[in-house]
Amino acid sequence: MGMSTDPRARESPEQRVGKLVARLRNHALWDSLLIFSPPLLLAIYLTAYLYRGAWITPVTFLVVSGAVIGLSLVAVVLRTRPLIPSVRSAARLVDEKSEAKDRFLTLATIDVALWPAALVGRLRGEAAALLERIDFQREFPYRMKRSFYWSFLVSLVVAVLFHLSMP
């Protein structure tokens, strides 16, 4: 029997659940970045347009651009933080996808030091065998959300209206 070269085979179920939490956190971050990027770019574009037209001073351009970037970063953080899943919710998702009957949830929530090593080892072994049922890339892919398209569309409409209203 040869050793498996798959790095996932050496990871514990708890590590895989942790990787799922990180993956879902990245999804939430991308969602937030994509939602706030079009308005950010629009605001910087409009400010640059006003600056090039000599409607505002260079200092005003820099202050407004910095403020818009700062507000966008704060908005991304405030929107992303509540969307980051807990280890418990990620373990529940893995249980659902692999039909594991709460094995991952149990591993994620128990204090392994308080339980017999044989029981914890058996639970880890069963969970590890069930991990092969799911592929995190396939089961939890990133998809652009409808909110990004709305953000982009509204920003585009505002840019067009701005240009139509300028003398």
Side-chain angles (χ1 to χ4, degrees):
M1 282 197 205
M3 279 187 58
S4 174
T5 58
D6 186 5
R8 293 178 297 181
R10 290 177 290 224
E11 290 178 336
S12 72
E14 295 97 321
Q15 289 171 321
R16 291 292 302 276
V17 170
K19 284 188 175 186
L20 178 61
V21 169
R23 181 179 188 82
L24 296 176
R25 181 193 63 231
N26 290 341
H27 287 190
L29 179 61
W30 275 109
D31 289 343
S32 298
L33 287 171
L34 287 172
I35 288 171
F36 291 111
S37 291
L40 168 69
L41 294 174
L42 173 68
I44 291 173
Y45 169 74
L46 295 179
T47 307
Y49 183 86
L50 292 174
Y51 169 69
R52 287 189 70 221
W55 291 61
I56 61 174
T57 65
V59 173
T60 305
F61 169 71
L62 291 174
V63 168
V64 169
S65 296
V68 167
I69 290 170
L71 285 173
S72 295
L73 289 174
V74 168
V76 165
V77 168
L78 291 177
R79 184 184 183 281
T80 302
R81 288 189 64 107
L83 298 176
I84 296 173
S86 65
V87 172
R88 176 185 294 255
S89 62
R92 187 165 296 153
L93 283 172
V94 174
D95 278 328
E96 288 172 12
K97 295 289 184 179
S98 64
E99 299 172 359
K101 299 181 182 172
D102 293 338
R103 284 178 179 87
F104 292 95
L105 181 61
T106 303
L107 274 174
T109 56
I110 66 169
D111 183 1
V112 294
L114 299 177
W115 293 90
L119 178 66
V120 173
R122 181 174 170 217
L123 186 59
R124 276 193 184 118
E126 290 174 2
L130 293 170
L131 272 175
E132 296 183 18
R133 290 185 181 179
I134 62 171
D135 176 19
F136 284 9
Q137 301 279 353
R138 185 176 36 99
E139 297 289 338
F140 303 102
Y142 180 75
R143 292 184 185 98
M144 277 197 218
K145 307 294 185 286
R146 186 175 291 166
S147 52
F148 163 71
Y149 297 111
W150 279 109
S151 175
F152 181 78
L153 182 65
V154 168
S155 297
L156 188 61
V157 168
V158 169
V160 169
L161 289 175
F162 176 80
H163 279 290
L164 291 176
S165 69
M166 291 304 289

